[in-house]
Amino acid sequence: MMRSLAEKLARKIVLRRRLDNEFGRRPFWASPDSALSLLKPGFETFEDLAEVCRTFVKPGDCIWDIGGNLGLFSLMAAHRAGADSVTVCIEPDPVLASLVQRTVLLPENTDRLIHVLCSAVSNESGIAQFAVAARGRSSNSLSVAGGRSQAGGVRYEQYVPTVTVDQLLGSFPSPNLIKIDVEGAEEMVLRGAERTLTECRPFVYIEVGADHINGVTRTLDRHGYSLFDPMRPASGEPIRECCFNTLAIPSECVDAHRQKAA
């Protein structure tokens, strides 16, 4: 009851926060309507994202952040990739996308090129129903994907545009790293990424729900990717199937990456 009340009261709050020293103390706009943890000092909740940036983002990389939420991964990755990089933050919720755009326009962040696209990513382009979670907006999802239990139900639904990963190649530089966090739509996203996975060969950091482990594993395996737990050392052994947070590396890049990490 108390948590539910706190979540409802938090919906109109917008806070200016900062990343830690490692990421240049870059400021960002945040709402606890995304996640109540944003009210707490520190960002331990996002350590997995920080570790991926430390280990897998290189100067000059192009980053695609699919399911950008408040854009924290985009901001961290852009900081690591440097001024010559391009980052694309794709977030279907207009409320969250507007906060990301405000973050990008802060004077301290204008030395990085971060594009914000307010759209969902799916297996086809069009218009789709989008469910805003009854709890935090970080659990929003395409209605057809079903979302996850953390959503606590649906606050309301609205229509959003959808694009495919492969369509993004027509507007943005090809990605070196794609982060995917789409609350149940991960298989749909990968079905729309055939050309990107085959020709561009990006590293893929993907959140995989329990119902989609088999499907996502099969798709990445078919495209010649090796799977890793991103929180283990980069020289660790591949895993047989996706875990909740999975790093997929093109198999031809695994040896070179291990040598670099050694």
Side-chain angles (χ1 to χ4, degrees):
M1 177 68 74
M2 291 299 296
R3 183 182 179 89
S4 177
L5 178 60
E7 288 169 343
K8 290 180 180 179
L9 292 175
R11 289 176 183 173
K12 295 184 179 181
I13 297 174
V14 176
L15 306 169
R16 179 169 161 143
R17 304 294 302 270
R18 287 186 179 272
L19 299 178
D20 61 20
N21 292 334
E22 179 182 7
F23 298 102
R25 297 284 296 164
R26 289 183 180 272
F28 64 93
W29 291 106
S31 171
D33 190 19
S34 173
L36 283 179
S37 59
L38 288 164
L39 291 172
K40 301 176 183 178
F43 297 101
E44 293 82 359
T45 303
F46 309 110
E47 176 56 26
D48 57 334
L49 301 181
E51 181 61 22
V52 170
C53 286
R54 290 185 200 108
T55 308
F56 301 104
V57 176
K58 306 182 302 299
D61 275 356
C62 177
I63 312 298
W64 291 2
D65 182 1
I66 298 175
N69 201 289
L70 291 169
L72 296 188
F73 183 78
S74 293
L75 193 59
M76 289 189 285
H79 178 82
R80 292 281 296 183
D84 295 329
S85 67
V86 177
T87 301
V88 185
C89 182
I90 305 141
E91 171 52 52
D93 184 346
V95 173
L96 297 179
S98 68
L99 288 174
V100 180
Q101 189 64 65
R102 288 176 62 185
T103 291
V104 169
L105 294 175
L106 287 169
E108 298 95 323
N109 296 329
T110 54
D111 62 334
R112 296 294 188 268
L113 183 56
I114 304 175
H115 299 297
V116 182
L117 176 63
C118 187
S119 176
V121 179
S122 185
N123 59 314
E124 60 184 8
S125 62
I127 303 293
Q129 279 193 311
F130 181 71
V132 175
R135 299 184 67 184
R137 287 180 179 266
S138 60
S139 297
N140 294 348
S141 65
L142 285 172
S143 298
V144 69
R148 302 223 168 98
S149 60
Q150 294 93 328
V154 176
R155 195 183 312 179
Y156 61 88
E157 291 183 304
Q158 66 183 86
Y159 284 97
V160 299
T162 63
V163 297
T164 70
V165 171
D166 287 344
Q167 283 180 309
L168 297 175
L169 290 173
S171 299
F172 305 108
S174 60
N176 303 99
L177 172 66
I178 300 178
K179 173 223 143 193
I180 302 171
D181 182 356
V182 289
E183 302 299 312
E186 43 267 42
E187 290 186 71
M188 299 167 65
V189 170
L190 293 179
R191 285 201 297 271
E194 290 285 323
R195 179 186 165 201
T196 304
L197 296 176
T198 301
E199 299 179 8
C200 303
R201 309 299 283 160
F203 285 30
V204 178
Y205 175 68
I206 183 169
E207 181 180 289
V208 185
D211 294 339
H212 302 281
I213 287 174
N214 291 335
V216 173
T217 299
R218 284 195 301 269
T219 298
L220 292 171
D221 181 68
R222 177 167 56 85
H223 284 90
Y225 276 79
S226 297
L227 309 179
F228 294 85
D229 181 341
M231 299 307 287
R232 294 179 183 176
S235 57
E237 290 299 315
I239 55 180
R240 291 182 176 273
E241 62 180 19
C242 292
C243 52
F244 183 66
N245 290 316
T246 296
L247 180 75
I249 299 178
S251 296
E252 68 272 17
C253 299
V254 170
D255 288 343
H257 196 78
R258 281 175 168 166
Q259 290 173 7
K260 180 180 177 182

